[in-house]
Amino acid sequence: MQAPEFNLDFKPAHGEAVSVAEGVERITVNNPGPFTFHGTNSYIVGRRSVAVIDPGPEDDAHFHALMDALRGREVTHIAVSHTHRDHSPLVGRLAWATGAMVVGEGPHRAARPLHAGEVNPFGESSDMDFSPDVALCDGARVEGDGWSLTAVATPGHTANHMAFALDGAGILFSADHVMAWATSIVAPPDGAMADYMASLDKLLQRDDRLYLPGHGGPVNEPASFVRALKAHRRMRERAVIERLRAGDRQIADMVKVIYASTDPRLHGAAALSLLAHIEDLIEQGRVETEGPPSLASAYRLA
């Protein structure tokens, strides 16, 4: 199975409402970066009575762009995929301005408890203030005038990550779980690789025809792309095993080889991704370490 073919061809049209499907508009925040690509995508679902998916960061220009696009329409719901600061902080301001109900999986939480002395490297990137008006469970439905969204729990990137399916359209708002431009960051303790892989398997049981992600353009052939993402993650897993067989004992040494061609600005995230893989391999009984696994631990094959 080949690695996924990432698509970097994306015109963000910052601040403009762009029609991306029947009854769906996208507005991209002007917050580009190594983790956000050209910016965070907010989506408006519906026509006269609408839902907003992922309002984005606290950004004044984006707030006004959303309000301009929403003028003359009732906003009944604001749906949040997860609680990283590029997706959820604008919720409060938008909810106050529109009176919409806020829905999501729940407040931010880590995928596992922190080990003694451990610091969450993504702690400052997490929106700890978010709390939905209604916490959605997997399969819960949110309905509006001429549309309905079904919650699809997809933990992995974060513990509270949730995608939303536009019922009857074959469209899944996949947020940061599956994106066309890059793989999702899975960084302990915020995220967990075992959860992420299980969520990919869950999506393969669906028959969506189109993914609209949190960053970048659409995923047009979801099933084959998700299978390629799985293969890519298994390849990374094998690379960890191969580096351990070659004598590497620490994650920093593995990153230098496995991610030799990756932008150095992303090596910190790459190290966390390898830690996520190693935690999963330890759970599988294939890798061992003394004490809790960490970025500084020494590892060996079981």
Side-chain angles (χ1 to χ4, degrees):
M1 182 74 190
Q2 293 184 342
E5 294 185 9
F6 296 116
N7 184 1
L8 303 183
D9 184 16
F10 176 67
K11 295 178 174 59
H14 293 129
E16 298 180 20
V18 177
S19 177
V20 291
E22 182 72 20
V24 180
E25 297 165 274
R26 179 188 67 221
I27 305 179
T28 302
V29 189
N30 190 7
N31 63 332
F35 300 116
T36 57
F37 196 33
H38 289 293
T40 304
N41 294 329
S42 297
Y43 293 98
I44 300 172
V45 179
R47 298 195 181 280
R48 290 173 299 180
S49 175
V50 304
V52 175
I53 298 176
D54 281 352
E58 183 55 71
D59 182 280
D60 194 58
H62 187 61
F63 172 75
H64 288 295
L66 280 171
M67 293 304 295
D68 285 345
L70 295 168
R71 186 174 292 115
R73 298 193 275 185
E74 178 189 18
V75 184
T76 59
H77 295 83
I78 301 171
V80 173
S81 67
H82 66 294
T83 43
H84 281 157
R85 288 191 176 276
D86 56 325
H87 286 262
S88 59
L90 198 60
V91 162
R93 193 174 175 188
L94 188 62
W96 183 86
T98 63
M101 176 185 297
V102 178
V103 299
E105 195 271 354
H108 191 83
R109 66 184 187 281
R112 60 159 173 77
L114 271 68
H115 303 310
E118 183 181 21
V119 176
N120 186 346
F122 274 77
E124 293 186 0
S125 301
S126 303
D127 180 6
M128 306 305 293
D129 296 327
F130 175 80
S131 182
D133 296 321
V134 176
L136 301 177
C137 61
D138 184 44
R141 181 169 291 178
V142 175
E143 296 183 346
D145 182 12
W147 56 265
S148 66
L149 297 170
T150 295
V152 183
T154 45
H157 176 64
T158 60
N160 67 350
H161 194 284
M162 183 164 273
F164 295 95
L166 181 56
D167 297 331
I171 294 173
L172 183 77
F173 297 93
S174 57
D176 285 12
H177 184 58
V178 177
M179 301 176 289
W181 75 283
T183 56
S184 178
I185 295 171
V186 181
D190 244 28
M193 189 59 68
D195 291 344
Y196 178 80
M197 297 298 285
S199 293
L200 289 181
D201 285 335
K202 181 177 184 176
L203 293 192
L204 287 175
Q205 302 303 311
R206 299 178 52 83
D207 60 354
D208 304 297
R209 63 174 180 83
L210 180 72
Y211 289 176
L212 296 175
H215 307 275
V219 178
N220 293 306
E221 297 182 4
S224 60
F225 192 80
V226 170
R227 285 193 292 269
L229 282 178
K230 282 191 62 180
H232 176 76
R233 293 294 185 177
R234 293 305 181 200
M235 179 185 69
R236 285 282 186 253
E237 186 179 88
R238 290 194 298 273
V240 170
I241 297 296
E242 289 169 3
R243 294 315 308 163
L244 289 172
R245 284 184 181 140
D248 287 352
R249 291 293 173 262
Q250 294 192 307
I251 288 175
D253 297 322
M254 299 180 202
V255 169
K256 293 176 184 177
V257 178
I258 298 173
Y259 291 92
S261 61
T262 299
D263 184 340
R265 294 179 299 169
L266 300 178
H267 277 193
L272 289 166
S273 180
L274 290 190
L275 176 59
H277 276 295
I278 287 172
E279 287 187 347
D280 190 20
L281 288 166
I282 288 173
E283 291 180 11
Q284 296 175 38
R286 300 169 64 188
V287 172
E288 296 176 344
T289 188
E290 300 298 330
S294 72
L295 291 173
S297 298
Y299 298 99
R300 61 184 178 273
L301 292 174

Short mmCIF file of all heavy atoms in Angstrom, two decimals, residues 168-195:
data_model
loop_
_atom_site.label_atom_id
_atom_site.label_comp_id
_atom_site.label_asym_id
_atom_site.label_seq_id
_atom_site.Cartn_x
_atom_site.Cartn_y
_atom_site.Cartn_z
N GLY A 168 -27.35 12.38 4.62
CA GLY A 168 -27.93 12.33 3.29
C GLY A 168 -27.08 12.93 2.19
O GLY A 168 -27.47 12.89 1.02
N ALA A 169 -25.90 13.47 2.54
CA ALA A 169 -25.05 14.13 1.55
C ALA A 169 -23.76 13.37 1.28
O ALA A 169 -23.05 13.68 0.32
CB ALA A 169 -24.72 15.56 2.00
N GLY A 170 -23.42 12.41 2.13
CA GLY A 170 -22.16 11.69 1.97
C GLY A 170 -20.95 12.54 2.31
O GLY A 170 -19.84 12.24 1.88
N ILE A 171 -21.16 13.59 3.10
CA ILE A 171 -20.08 14.51 3.47
C ILE A 171 -19.75 14.35 4.94
O ILE A 171 -20.65 14.31 5.79
CB ILE A 171 -20.48 15.97 3.17
CG1 ILE A 171 -20.64 16.18 1.66
CG2 ILE A 171 -19.46 16.94 3.74
CD1 ILE A 171 -21.20 17.54 1.29
N LEU A 172 -18.46 14.28 5.24
CA LEU A 172 -18.00 14.23 6.62
C LEU A 172 -17.07 15.42 6.86
O LEU A 172 -16.09 15.61 6.14
CB LEU A 172 -17.24 12.93 6.91
CG LEU A 172 -16.78 12.75 8.36
CD1 LEU A 172 -17.96 12.34 9.24
CD2 LEU A 172 -15.66 11.72 8.45
N PHE A 173 -17.38 16.23 7.86
CA PHE A 173 -16.48 17.29 8.30
C PHE A 173 -15.46 16.63 9.23
O PHE A 173 -15.73 16.38 10.40
CB PHE A 173 -17.27 18.39 9.01
CG PHE A 173 -18.28 19.06 8.11
CD1 PHE A 173 -19.59 18.62 8.06
CD2 PHE A 173 -17.90 20.11 7.29
CE1 PHE A 173 -20.52 19.22 7.22
CE2 PHE A 173 -18.82 20.72 6.43
CZ PHE A 173 -20.13 20.28 6.40
N SER A 174 -14.29 16.33 8.66
CA SER A 174 -13.32 15.45 9.33
C SER A 174 -12.37 16.19 10.25
O SER A 174 -11.55 15.56 10.92
CB SER A 174 -12.52 14.66 8.29
OG SER A 174 -11.88 15.54 7.38
N ALA A 175 -12.47 17.53 10.29
CA ALA A 175 -11.65 18.35 11.18
C ALA A 175 -10.16 18.01 11.04
O ALA A 175 -9.64 17.97 9.94
CB ALA A 175 -12.15 18.23 12.62
N ASP A 176 -9.48 17.70 12.16
CA ASP A 176 -8.04 17.43 12.09
C ASP A 176 -7.73 15.93 12.10
O ASP A 176 -6.56 15.54 12.14
CB ASP A 176 -7.33 18.09 13.28
CG ASP A 176 -7.19 19.59 13.10
OD1 ASP A 176 -7.83 20.14 12.17
OD2 ASP A 176 -6.46 20.23 13.88
N HIS A 177 -8.76 15.10 12.05
CA HIS A 177 -8.52 13.66 12.06
C HIS A 177 -7.96 13.19 10.73
O HIS A 177 -7.00 12.41 10.67
CB HIS A 177 -9.81 12.91 12.39
CG HIS A 177 -9.62 11.43 12.51
ND1 HIS A 177 -8.74 10.86 13.40
CD2 HIS A 177 -10.19 10.40 11.84
CE1 HIS A 177 -8.78 9.55 13.28
NE2 HIS A 177 -9.65 9.25 12.32
N VAL A 178 -8.56 13.65 9.62
CA VAL A 178 -8.08 13.32 8.28
C VAL A 178 -8.07 14.61 7.46
O VAL A 178 -9.10 15.27 7.33
CB VAL A 178 -8.98 12.28 7.59
CG1 VAL A 178 -8.49 12.02 6.17
CG2 VAL A 178 -9.00 10.98 8.37
N MET A 179 -6.89 14.95 6.92
CA MET A 179 -6.71 16.15 6.11
C MET A 179 -5.96 15.79 4.84
O MET A 179 -5.11 14.91 4.85
CB MET A 179 -5.95 17.22 6.90
CG MET A 179 -6.62 17.63 8.20
SD MET A 179 -5.62 18.80 9.16
CE MET A 179 -4.27 17.74 9.73
N ALA A 180 -6.27 16.52 3.76
CA ALA A 180 -5.66 16.20 2.47
C ALA A 180 -4.21 16.65 2.38
O ALA A 180 -3.44 16.11 1.59
CB ALA A 180 -6.46 16.84 1.35
N TRP A 181 -3.81 17.63 3.18
CA TRP A 181 -2.50 18.26 2.99
C TRP A 181 -1.39 17.63 3.83
O TRP A 181 -0.20 17.79 3.53
CB TRP A 181 -2.57 19.75 3.31
CG TRP A 181 -2.64 20.06 4.78
CD1 TRP A 181 -3.73 19.94 5.59
CD2 TRP A 181 -1.59 20.54 5.61
NE1 TRP A 181 -3.43 20.31 6.88
CE2 TRP A 181 -2.11 20.69 6.92
CE3 TRP A 181 -0.25 20.87 5.38
CZ2 TRP A 181 -1.36 21.15 7.99
CZ3 TRP A 181 0.51 21.33 6.46
CH2 TRP A 181 -0.03 21.46 7.74
N ALA A 182 -1.75 16.90 4.90
CA ALA A 182 -0.73 16.34 5.80
C ALA A 182 -1.38 15.35 6.75
O ALA A 182 -2.61 15.30 6.88
CB ALA A 182 -0.05 17.46 6.61
N THR A 183 -0.55 14.59 7.45
CA THR A 183 -1.06 13.71 8.49
C THR A 183 -1.42 14.52 9.73
O THR A 183 -0.88 15.61 9.96
CB THR A 183 -0.03 12.64 8.87
OG1 THR A 183 1.18 13.30 9.28
CG2 THR A 183 0.26 11.72 7.70
N SER A 184 -2.30 14.00 10.53
CA SER A 184 -2.69 14.64 11.78
C SER A 184 -1.61 14.43 12.83
O SER A 184 -0.93 13.40 12.87
CB SER A 184 -4.01 14.03 12.26
OG SER A 184 -4.39 14.59 13.50
N ILE A 185 -1.43 15.43 13.69
CA ILE A 185 -0.50 15.29 14.81
C ILE A 185 -1.18 14.47 15.90
O ILE A 185 -2.30 14.77 16.31
CB ILE A 185 -0.10 16.67 15.37
CG1 ILE A 185 0.69 17.45 14.31
CG2 ILE A 185 0.71 16.53 16.65
CD1 ILE A 185 0.93 18.89 14.69
N VAL A 186 -0.49 13.44 16.35
CA VAL A 186 -0.96 12.64 17.49
C VAL A 186 0.12 12.74 18.55
O VAL A 186 1.19 12.16 18.41
CB VAL A 186 -1.21 11.18 17.09
CG1 VAL A 186 -1.71 10.39 18.30
CG2 VAL A 186 -2.20 11.09 15.95
N ALA A 187 -0.14 13.55 19.57
CA ALA A 187 0.90 13.90 20.54
C ALA A 187 0.44 13.60 21.96
O ALA A 187 -0.45 14.28 22.47
CB ALA A 187 1.24 15.39 20.42
N PRO A 188 1.02 12.58 22.62
CA PRO A 188 0.68 12.31 24.01
C PRO A 188 1.09 13.49 24.89
O PRO A 188 2.06 14.18 24.58
CB PRO A 188 1.51 11.08 24.34
CG PRO A 188 1.89 10.48 23.01
CD PRO A 188 2.00 11.64 22.08
N PRO A 189 0.37 13.72 25.99
CA PRO A 189 -0.82 12.96 26.45
C PRO A 189 -2.13 13.47 25.87
O PRO A 189 -3.17 12.93 26.18
CB PRO A 189 -0.77 13.19 27.96
CG PRO A 189 -0.22 14.58 28.09
CD PRO A 189 0.81 14.72 26.99
N ASP A 190 -2.08 14.52 25.04
CA ASP A 190 -3.31 15.04 24.42
C ASP A 190 -3.99 13.98 23.57
O ASP A 190 -5.20 13.82 23.63
CB ASP A 190 -2.97 16.25 23.55
CG ASP A 190 -3.61 17.53 24.05
OD1 ASP A 190 -3.85 17.62 25.27
OD2 ASP A 190 -3.88 18.42 23.24
N GLY A 191 -3.18 13.29 22.74
CA GLY A 191 -3.72 12.29 21.84
C GLY A 191 -3.14 10.93 22.10
O GLY A 191 -2.21 10.76 22.90
N ALA A 192 -3.67 9.93 21.41
CA ALA A 192 -3.21 8.54 21.58
C ALA A 192 -3.26 7.84 20.24
O ALA A 192 -4.28 7.90 19.53
CB ALA A 192 -4.08 7.81 22.60
N MET A 193 -2.17 7.15 19.89
CA MET A 193 -2.08 6.49 18.59
C MET A 193 -3.08 5.35 18.47
O MET A 193 -3.68 5.15 17.41
CB MET A 193 -0.67 5.99 18.34
CG MET A 193 -0.42 5.49 16.92
SD MET A 193 -0.72 6.77 15.65
CE MET A 193 0.65 7.90 16.00
N ALA A 194 -3.26 4.57 19.53
CA ALA A 194 -4.22 3.46 19.46
C ALA A 194 -5.62 3.99 19.17
O ALA A 194 -6.36 3.41 18.36
CB ALA A 194 -4.21 2.66 20.76
N ASP A 195 -5.99 5.11 19.81
CA ASP A 195 -7.30 5.71 19.54
C ASP A 195 -7.38 6.21 18.10
O ASP A 195 -8.41 6.05 17.43
CB ASP A 195 -7.54 6.89 20.50
CG ASP A 195 -7.74 6.45 21.94
OD1 ASP A 195 -7.99 5.25 22.16
OD2 ASP A 195 -7.64 7.32 22.82
#
